[in-house]
Amino acid sequence: MTRSIIKINTKDHKIAKLAAIAIALSIIEFFLPSPIPGVKPGIANIIILFTIIKFDFSTAVWVSIIRVFVVSIIIGTFLGPTFFLSLSGSLFSLMFLFLFKNINGKYFSVISLSLIAAFAHTTGQFLIVRFWIIPHDGIFYLLPIFMISALTFGLVNGIITRSLLSLNIK
């Protein structure tokens, strides 16, 4: 039998550590009560935003995708609607962060990137809800509530991320 050799480098360790933190935060968030069904603060997104700014975009993509898959397996939603909502929100956030991250820093701070990611996340989820789970335009009556939540939590998560970045963590 041929022995397979997998070379693990420091970037792999970094991704594993960041993904573990994001997974832990997601699981904690899963157990937090929510006054409005479906509204969560997205505290794991702090780690994703931190990763994009501190390291690079590809590392953040890995951390985000690993988090979505592992958390869905742990909480039992893998390949269910909740999994696809989480995946679509993550992919939309990453897509918009990719578009806005490299624009001049004087226009987009960490907080504004967090807000962009929060609104993109909500938009991605609403598209999945509208076109797959509840194919009716009435779902858009809920959009203001979710966008206000995205504004609130995006702002808070951006402030927390800015604080983490100022700690100069490696």
Side-chain angles (χ1 to χ4, degrees), residues 36-73:
I36 302 170
V39 173
K40 293 286 186 177
I43 55 178
N45 295 327
I46 294 167
I47 302 303
I48 306 304
L49 188 59
F50 174 86
T51 303
I52 286 175
I53 293 168
K54 188 75 174 181
F55 303 110
D56 58 35
F57 185 75
S58 67
T59 302
V61 170
W62 276 109
V63 171
S64 184
I65 299 303
I66 290 168
R67 178 194 65 84
V68 169
F69 276 84
V70 171
V71 169
S72 70
I73 290 169

Side-chain angles (χ1 to χ4, degrees), residues 68 72 75-89 121 124-130 132-134:
V68 169
S72 70
I75 65 174
T77 61
F78 183 61
L79 298 182
T82 305
F83 165 75
F84 288 105
L85 287 171
S86 180
L87 183 63
S88 67
H121 190 93
Q125 289 185 330
F126 257 84
L127 289 173
I128 291 294
V129 168
R130 169 58 182 88
W132 180 43
I133 299 172
I134 305 173

Side-chain angles (χ1 to χ4, degrees), residues 8 53 58 83 92 103 119 122 143 156:
I8 299 171
I53 293 168
S58 67
F83 165 75
F92 264 72
I103 295 177
F119 285 122
T122 300
L143 194 56
V156 170

